[in-house]
Structures are given as structure tokens and as C-alpha cells.
């Protein structure tokens, strides 16, 4: 399944948008796609919505984002990334200069994950759109995001 797509993405030089939403690729699929993103130089838009990748799959995406310099839009909506996944993604987009849109809607991200995202937002100068709708960030998480937005002048 996703292993074959990952292998193809490593050598494909024309595909710019890939929608794999709701295909149950899971952690293993996220690992293969993440590995491909490390070397792919053309894919700009990736939708992995509703693929049950969990925290470990989000970590694979985070590792890919540390290296990838072309992906501008990543949709990870409803993947149960949680605070651990949010931490991995936040570490990646601290330095990522390409990603402009990240959808983390419905990922069970709480105050801890929001803290990591907030810290990354203070540094990141590329991300313009961040969707955190339907998470459990609560008052403390909102405080972390709010503090970051005082500093971040790019996020809209």
C-alpha cells in the first residue's frame, strides 16, 4: 500500500498534490510517506486526513519536515497525534521554511502539545495558517498559543 506510494514519491518528479485522506495508512504508511518526503523535491500539498497515524506517525511526519524544503501544505486532521505528535511536529516547524499551512484539527492535542506549538510559533516565520480546531487545548493551551501570537507576525 503506502510503501509503494512512498517508493514512487522518492523518484517522482511531477506530482505536486497528493490526497490520501481516509485511507487507513496507519503508522507504517506514515513512516513510508515520511521517508519519501525527505527526498521528494516536487510535492507541495499532502493530505493525510483521517489515517490513524497516531503520535508515532506524526513523529515520522515531523522528521520529514525537518528535511523537506518544498511541502507547503500538510493536512493531518483527525489522526490522534496527541501531545507527543504535536511536540514532534512543533520541533520540525521551528526551522522549516517551506510549510505555510498545517491542519491539526481534531488530533487530541492538549495543553502540553499546545505549549510546544506555541514555542515553535515564536520562531517560525513561514507558517501562515494553523488549524487547531476540535482539540483539547483548554485555558492553559490557549495561553501558550496566545503568547506565541503576540510574537508571531506571519500566522493569519
Amino acid at each position: 500500500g503506502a510503501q509503494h506510494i512512498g517508493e514512487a514519491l522518492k523518484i517522482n518528479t511531477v506530482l505536486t498534490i497528493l490526497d490520501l485522506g481516509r485511507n487507513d495508512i496507519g503508522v507504517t504508511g506514515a513512516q513510508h510517506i515520511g521517508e519519501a518526503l525527505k527526498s521528494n523535491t516536487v510535492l507541495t500539498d499532502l493530505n493525510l486526513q483521517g489515517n490513524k497515524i497516531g503520535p508515532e506517525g506524526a513523529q515520522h511526519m515531523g522528521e520529514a519536515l525537518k528535511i523537506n524544503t518544498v511541502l507547503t501544505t500538510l493536512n493531518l486532521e483527525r489522526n490522534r497525534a496527541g501531545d507527543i505528535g504535536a511536540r514532534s511536529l512543533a520541533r520540525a516547524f521551528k526551522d522549516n521554511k517551506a510549510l505555510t499551512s498545517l491542519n491539526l484539527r481534531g488530533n487530541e492535542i492538549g495543553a502540553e502539545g499546545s505549549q510546544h506549538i506555541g514555542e515553535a510559533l515564536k520562531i517560525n516565520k513561514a507558517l501562515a495558517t494553523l488549524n487547531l480546531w476540535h482539540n483539547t487545548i483548554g485555558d492553559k493551551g490557549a495561553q501558550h498559543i496566545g503568547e506565541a501570537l503576540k510574537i508571531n507576525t506571519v500566522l493569519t
Side-chain angles (χ1 to χ4, degrees):
Q3 177 181 357
H4 298 291
I5 294 171
E7 289 171 6
L9 286 176
K10 288 179 183 179
I11 58 172
N12 186 287
T13 59
V14 293
L15 186 69
T16 59
I17 299 171
L18 179 59
D19 186 346
L20 291 174
R22 296 184 180 162
N23 275 290
D24 293 327
I25 66 168
V27 174
T28 304
Q31 180 180 5
H32 291 297
I33 301 297
E35 284 300 314
L37 288 176
K38 291 178 182 178
S39 59
N40 182 284
T41 59
V42 293
L43 192 68
T44 59
D45 189 325
L46 177 60
N47 180 6
L48 294 179
Q49 174 184 346
N51 271 293
K52 302 175 185 170
I53 68 171
E56 189 178 342
Q59 288 175 316
H60 291 300
M61 290 295 109
E63 290 300 314
L65 288 176
K66 288 179 183 177
I67 297 167
N68 184 284
T69 59
V70 294
L71 192 70
T72 59
T73 303
L74 178 59
N75 183 353
L76 293 177
E77 180 178 334
R78 294 186 206 161
N79 271 295
R80 298 182 179 153
D83 290 336
I84 293 170
R87 180 181 64 215
S88 297
L89 292 165
R91 286 179 181 163
F93 73 78
K94 274 184 180 179
D95 297 318
N96 183 290
K97 310 260 188 295
L99 196 67
T100 59
S101 179
L102 178 60
N103 184 354
L104 294 176
R105 174 182 173 182
N107 265 289
E108 301 170 6
I109 297 169
E112 181 186 338
S114 300
Q115 180 178 1
H116 295 292
I117 291 170
E119 291 302 315
L121 289 176
K122 291 177 183 177
I123 298 166
N124 181 282
K125 302 294 183 219
L127 197 65
T129 304
L130 174 63
N131 185 346
L132 290 172
W133 189 75
H134 198 25
N135 281 287
T136 56
I137 65 172
D139 289 340
K140 196 70 169 167
Q143 182 180 353
H144 294 302
I145 300 297
E147 290 298 318
L149 293 178
K150 291 178 184 176
I151 297 167
N152 183 298
T153 58
V154 180
L155 202 63
T156 56

